[in-house]
């Protein structure tokens, strides 16, 4: 496959770009490198999809029933246990992501030092967002403590939450994007798109539910006062 960059006429010229067609061109080119039947690719898709589904289902079940808190006899121990499970699942997801990249071809146009440095920079930015989010929220704030009744006193507005919403999710996405570029992997790029889409769906479910929990807290506080 050629590593040359196509000219502006390939999608109709820069003066009259159909961005939907341009996106289709990019996705078609990526899919040309990917074997979706490869077991490593399938495993990566499954872990990317399963992880947010798992923690949302378990957290909502806990918020309704308090079953985990009863089993562990403490909401904190229950939250720590769920957090540990999420961390292990994320390690598995990253392993499957990497194996999927290594099992499929590289893209020649990304296999160069400049692209590698771009990927490394994205990995650094993503890690900064993830780690700073963790330090700002703490363990229970990061790992769904509000579903266990462990509520923060106020909304966190320090860095990186003063830069963008959901910085841990977007930092994680940047990590995967950087990792894919460093490996010159079209499979990694495609899987990063899946990661971003799954996070976008998760946000649509999580944010209203979390807002409801804190509204209930505020309402209870007003009644007590």
């Amino acid at each position: 496959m050629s590593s040359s960059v196509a000219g502006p006429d390939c999608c109709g010229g820069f003066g009259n770009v159909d961005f939907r067609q341009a996106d289709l061109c990019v996705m078609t080119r990526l899919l040309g490198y990917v074997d979706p039947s490869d077991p490593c690719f399938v495993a990566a898709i499954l872990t990317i999809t399963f992880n947010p589904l798992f923690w949302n289902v378990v957290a909502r079940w806990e918020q309704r029933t308090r079953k985990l808190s009863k089993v562990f006899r403490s909401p904190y121990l229950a939250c720590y246990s769920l957090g540990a499970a999420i961390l292990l699942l994320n390690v598995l997801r990253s392993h499957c992501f990497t194996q999927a990249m290594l099992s499929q071809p590289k893209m020649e146009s990304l296999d160069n030092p400049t692209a590698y440095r771009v990927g490394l920079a994205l990995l650094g930015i993503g890690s900064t967002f993830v780690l700073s989010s963790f330090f700002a929220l703490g363990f229970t704030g990061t790992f769904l403590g509000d579903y266990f009744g462990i509520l923060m006193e106020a909304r966190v507005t320090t860095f990186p939450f003063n830069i963008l919403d959901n910085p841990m999710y977007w930092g994680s996405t940047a990590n995967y994007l950087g990792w894919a570029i460093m490996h010159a992997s079209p499979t990694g790029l495609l899987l990063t798109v899946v990661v971003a889409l799954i996070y976008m769906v998760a946000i649509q479910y999580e944010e209203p539910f979390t807002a409801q929990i804190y509204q209930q807290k505020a309402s209870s506080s007003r009644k007590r006062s």
Side-chain angles (χ1 to χ4, degrees):
M1 295 181 183
S2 174
S3 62
S4 62
V5 178
D9 289 340
C10 70
C11 287
F14 291 133
N16 187 29
V17 174
D18 182 341
F19 288 103
R20 288 173 298 181
Q21 184 64 32
D23 290 342
L24 183 61
C25 289
V26 172
M27 291 303 296
T28 300
R29 188 177 181 196
L30 287 179
L31 289 171
Y33 287 86
V34 178
D35 176 10
S37 65
D38 175 59
C40 293
F41 182 82
V42 173
I45 292 288
L46 289 175
T47 54
I48 289 167
T49 305
F50 175 76
N51 287 11
L53 177 64
F54 166 78
W55 70 62
N56 273 287
V57 169
V58 173
R60 291 195 181 207
W61 173 69
E62 165 64 16
Q63 197 271 337
R64 289 195 310 271
T65 67
R66 299 300 184 213
K67 292 289 188 181
L68 284 177
S69 294
K70 292 174 184 175
V71 168
F72 288 95
R73 298 184 179 182
S74 163
Y76 286 90
L77 286 178
C79 182
Y80 296 151
S81 298
L82 178 61
I86 291 171
L87 286 171
L88 289 174
L89 285 171
N90 285 345
V91 169
L92 176 62
R93 177 181 62 182
S94 296
H95 172 74
C96 291
F97 187 102
T98 301
Q99 291 303 118
M101 289 195 301
L102 296 177
S103 69
Q104 304 215 30
K106 289 186 175 184
M107 181 181 285
E108 294 88 342
S109 57
L110 286 178
D111 195 10
N112 60 76
T114 300
Y116 186 89
R117 286 192 288 269
V118 170
L120 192 62
L122 284 168
L123 194 62
I125 292 169
S127 297
T128 298
F129 279 130
V130 170
L131 291 174
S132 59
S133 298
F134 178 80
F135 289 127
L137 294 171
F139 192 95
T140 56
T142 299
F143 293 105
L144 306 164
D146 39 11
Y147 291 76
F148 292 80
I150 308 168
L151 304 182
M152 304 187 74
E153 290 300 321
R155 183 183 179 90
V156 176
T157 57
T158 56
F159 181 84
F161 294 90
N162 59 348
I163 302 293
L164 76 167
D165 293 330
N166 306 293
M168 187 163 285
Y169 281 170
W170 300 125
S172 176
T173 304
N175 283 342
Y176 282 117
L177 178 59
W179 196 233
I181 293 173
M182 289 171 69
H183 285 79
S185 173
T187 299
L189 295 177
L190 185 60
L191 289 173
T192 301
V193 172
V194 178
V195 169
L197 290 174
I198 293 296
Y199 278 155
M200 289 170 67
V201 172
I203 288 167
Q204 294 303 310
Y205 281 92
E206 290 173 11
E207 287 195 336
F209 200 72
T210 303
Q212 180 185 350
I213 292 173
Y214 280 91
Q215 285 171 0
Q216 291 171 352
K217 177 192 176 186
S219 178
S220 299
S221 298
R222 284 195 298 269
K223 288 178 181 178
R224 286 196 301 267
S225 61

